[in-house]
Amino acid sequence: MKLTRLLLATLLIVAGNSCQRALDVAPNAVIDGDALNTPENIEKLCTAAYAAIGNDHYTAPFTLWPYGNLRSGDAYKGGAGTADISAFHFYETFSYIRPDLGESDVIWYRLYVSISRANDALRRLNAMSEEAFPNKKVRQAEMRFLRGHSYFDLKILFKNIPYIDESVPTEEYGKISNVTLSNEESWNKIADDFRFGSENLPVTQPEKGRADQIAAKAYLAKVLLYQAYQQDVNHNVTGINQAKLTEVVTLTDAVITSGRYGLFDDFSKNFLYEYDNGTESIFAIQRSKNDGTPKGRLDWSSALSYPMNSEYGCCGFHQPSQNLVNAFQTDSQGLPLFDTFNQKDVKELSDFQQHTFDPRLDHTVAIPGHPYKYKPDFIYQASWARAPDIYGSYASMKETVAYDSPGFQKVPPFMGSAKNNILLRYADVLLWKAEALIELGRESEALPLINQIRQRAKQSTALLKDKAGKAVSSYKLETYQPGVNCTWNQAFARQALRWERRLEFAMEGNRFFDLVRWGIAAEYLNTYFTQEKIKREYLKEARFTKNRDEYLPIPLNQINYTANLYQQNPGW
């Protein structure tokens, strides 16, 4: 026993000395902060800030589909059932959203990590001379663009957020309240970042994926459009700022007349890998594969959206709602069925030939019996849906790629792709301008913009064919012709604009935020739930609470981190 104790003591001494020697060795991945203050390393920090806006995860996707689509009536959660990522079920029904939901905390955290990377690069750029770093102004503008983007998402998700820029020391982060700035003041801060970009970025960039002057003007227009709908502390829309709408028109005009961007000739090209960074993509998260990293820079936002068939295998989330499918119907004149679209469901295969539709339906929704991702011999089956008895059999298609696409890659058990996520596309710019014009009482000027979008949709049928070359649905879509098929006044134009936004950007993460901006979320969604509960049992407890559910609660982890300095949003 004495010998054993002696041996153990000796081993402990040796092990202790070995551990101490190991701890004395600097890890290879650590670099002194001051060593980063070189032009070469600052360039790398800027690249890292770009990377951060794509460093998301399927539980907190930066495409915002759980927050913008599930909460809008355009999509069902999907997956294996209500307990499969239960937080997404809570978002969809509103009834069980809580401040301690981990997924809300994760999206908050990841967006602030992105802001932190931009701020770190800015802090070092600010201290660098232009002689030492000739691209200083351009990189500063790029970092402020990226920071503005992340703050915009935080703003539309949570509203009352702490604003932290590069002048704030890290140790002071927890001392800045989320209500230090008013709603208007925090919007101004976000707008300032894009104003700086519009003044200091070049019109074109030598490398794809970098923010340019036109992208900054487009994003500034988006910020000002949201800000123009003024809200009180309880999220009620109290007025629309005409001066900001006028600036939206000026900024969108600058994008439109730049000659840099335009609509694709076919709607499909926005959702095909081979057209990444094309004429309609103003700014996008850049994705890649086979780039020297283990799994590439794949689109993890959409990893759950693929069907449950042999070519894919997982996971059946993010399913278009029956309400959305019904909304694509058109009348005998090729116009939307504004008031009667949801009176009867179109769901049988024959329904899609007996009724007429906007062609964007088959670009957006995978329908049993119709080709999937423009492949006439690859027919989507109802059996590919994961839980059809709960969520029905439709699937989302815009964000997925075909199994034989060069951009597709399996990352078992999930699916990935190298297709970019478009954050700003030209169609959005046209409709922002149209919306501003309508609210300014200049609806006649908005008409050709909306018709431009509709005309493109009308001609986007070339890929919507079966093996025999026949259209997979019966399509009939026409432009608005005042005095012929409509009366074009402000009220009708507003209705037409809002309908156009829904169909053009369906399943792209925008819809809920549009409803909140317009101040109609409560009425719209509670009407939707009343109708939908009859079809979907899992929605029986769904209910939107006005003056609360317009925004997510401030995550409890963040309130605890600041020792209750952060104030909770109204109603939570």
Side-chain angles (χ1 to χ4, degrees), residues 260-306:
R260 293 282 316 287
Y261 301 99
L263 295 178
F264 277 124
D265 60 346
D266 193 294
F267 187 62
S268 64
K269 292 181 179 179
N270 287 293
F271 316 110
L272 291 169
Y273 167 76
E274 52 265 40
Y275 294 101
D276 271 354
N277 295 315
T279 185
E280 197 163 339
S281 177
I282 296 175
F283 187 75
I285 296 174
Q286 301 294 306
R287 303 295 186 180
S288 62
K289 59 180 285 192
N290 301 325
D291 56 8
T293 61
K295 294 183 179 179
R297 294 285 301 161
L298 298 176
D299 172 19
W300 281 96
S301 279
S302 308
L304 303 180
S305 294
Y306 288 83

Side-chain angles (χ1 to χ4, degrees), residues 375-444:
K375 295 178 68 65
D377 58 349
F378 187 48
I379 307 302
Y380 180 77
Q381 306 293 328
S383 60
W384 295 4
R386 190 171 182 183
D389 54 327
I390 302 174
Y391 300 112
S393 300
Y394 300 125
S396 182
M397 283 201 301
K398 283 183 174 179
E399 71 272 39
T400 64
V401 299
Y403 67 89
D404 58 355
S405 166
F408 180 66
Q409 180 171 318
K410 283 192 175 184
V411 280
F414 304 114
M415 309 300 118
S417 89
K419 189 193 177 309
N420 291 349
N421 304 121
I422 302 176
L423 300 180
L424 298 172
R425 66 178 176 95
Y426 187 75
D428 229 348
V429 173
L430 294 178
L431 292 182
W432 294 335
K433 181 181 178 182
E435 182 176 339
L437 289 168
I438 290 166
E439 298 306 330
L440 286 168
R442 297 161 57 184
E443 60 272 8
S444 62

Side-chain angles (χ1 to χ4, degrees), residues 45-101:
L45 288 171
C46 292
T47 300
Y50 273 100
I53 67 169
N55 281 350
D56 55 350
H57 191 259
Y58 56 81
T59 57
F62 282 173
T63 56
L64 303 186
W65 68 261
Y67 325 100
N69 295 340
L70 299 189
R71 295 194 294 166
S72 74
D74 276 7
Y76 307 135
K77 179 184 75 69
T82 58
D84 193 0
I85 310 186
S86 60
F88 290 1
H89 171 66
F90 299 160
Y91 294 148
E92 184 181 354
T93 61
F94 293 94
S95 299
Y96 301 106
I97 297 176
R98 306 187 310 269
D100 64 345
L101 287 182

Side-chain angles (χ1 to χ4, degrees), residues 450-460 477-479:
I450 295 173
N451 276 345
Q452 189 176 345
I453 298 290
R454 291 184 66 78
Q455 183 62 37
R456 192 269 295 273
K458 178 182 178 179
Q459 66 192 34
S460 297
L477 185 148
E478 296 297 337
T479 57

